Amino acid sequence: MREGKTWRYAGRVGTGFNDATLNDVHARLRKLETREACVTLPKSASARGVHWVRPQLVAEVSFAQWTKENLVRQAVFQGLRHDKPAIRVVRERAMKITHADRVIDPSTGFTKGDLVEYFAHVSAALLPHVRDRPVSLVRAPEGIEGPMFFQKHAGALDMPHVRMLDLALDPGHAALMTIDRADALCDAAQMNVVELHTWNATARFIDTPDRFVLDLDPDPTLPWQRVREAAVLVRGLLDELGLRCFLKTTGGHGLHVVVPLGRRDDWNTVKTFSHDLAAHLARTLPDRFSARPGPRHRVRKIFVDYLRNQRGATTVSAFSPRARLGLPVSVPIAWDELDVVRSGTQWNIATVPERLRQLGKDNPWDGYARIRQTVTRVAARLKNRALKT
Ligand code: ATP
Ligand code: MN
């Protein structure tokens, strides 16, 4: 970083890369290699194996603290920045995480610091799923065994980078919030947020949802294989109707089937359609599916929860941790991974970064962003099918 008219060493970054970003950064650095050192290393840093480069590239790095030596602590690489000249990089304030050592999940020993690190690590994967949507936050100030708070509004919470949305979105209430940058995630983690739940619409197009979610809620005694089969059956129905759908673990008991939409249907259309889907499944496969909420209606079955598809309803975001035993995470998966996924809690905050590293540029939800399908067009097809059965 720049300090007056000279450069200053700010420490090292050991994580946040995957193979693709490492290769990219390496190729760029090689072109800048020089013999001349532009900074003096502090005594604690070894100069062995150091390659010097001309100070031109700028990397975005999140970090928890400055050490006494003025080096970054818990630094995570977030990506290169091409919009900022290197000469403008100066010392920034640290995130100010307090109580980082507090254990929030006694079953694993995960601490608040681990959670902060997780959010910093996955922000590039998580933010696209949250950005621009109203978000509700589940806070667990005393860890997951203490009381939890489901917050739709920021209230008195000190989260300077969390963006307040237009008051008109939720008339008569405090402003809804959204999270669209890594430091807002850090603010949230500092306020003991564990889970992020989002609407099925973005703030700019609040009246036309851009997805709906079928939440498969199994009877707790049901073997996982039945949950898998249920997801495949739901997909089969949607396929037949000409709708593409995507899958994620919930970090809990079930799976979420997510259907992207092109923002042409209103809430009422989407809500009615998702209810019709659930009803159709329950009618045609009554020993597998139920379309009625409440445990007694899904004994040995799976409740297809369609109720998350009305205005204001939320579902846990992809890559959100869950405030449950082991801090599991809701993770997008490809359909052909379903066979090897053994439960809704397959991944947790410690294993998701490894999965992302292994995936590299592969996206299990490849194609999701380009889909512009509508419910209105296929709703009649479902009705016809329902009449025939
Ligand atoms: P599982 O696979 O275990 O069922 P899930 O995410 O589907 O995981 P829940 O966390 O029980 O299951 O989902 C609860 C639903 O209710 C979510 O849609 C969530 O956004 C919403 N929700 C959770 N807590 C509250 C609350 N206190 N007030 C309003 N809505 C809530
Ligand atoms: Mn569920």
Side-chain angles (χ1 to χ4, degrees), residues 215-218 250 253-256 305 308:
D215 166 30
L216 305 182
D217 269 345
T250 63
H253 306 290
L255 292 166
H256 290 155
D305 186 351
R308 294 150 184 248

Side-chain angles (χ1 to χ4, degrees), residues 17-26 356-361:
F17 308 100
N18 57 36
D19 289 347
T21 51
L22 268 184
N23 286 337
D24 176 52
V25 172
H26 184 240
L356 289 175
R357 211 184 55 74
Q358 278 173 3
L359 283 173
K361 279 195 172 132

Side-chain angles (χ1 to χ4, degrees), residues 281-301:
L281 288 162
R283 199 165 44 236
T284 50
L285 295 164
D287 53 339
R288 288 180 181 267
F289 291 110
S290 160
R292 296 168 74 182
R296 69 197 169 91
H297 297 298
R298 61 156 175 225
V299 178
R300 288 186 297 280
K301 297 184 193 181

Side-chain angles (χ1 to χ4, degrees), residues 136 138 149-150 152 195 197-198 215-218 250-256 305 308 313-316 322 324:
S136 300
V138 175
F149 304 92
F150 191 87
K152 293 164 80 174
E195 301 189 0
H197 294 246
T198 56
D215 166 30
L216 305 182
D217 269 345
T250 63
H253 306 290
L255 292 166
H256 290 155
D305 186 351
R308 294 150 184 248
T314 55
T315 300
V316 75
R322 305 307 304 262
R324 303 182 187 187

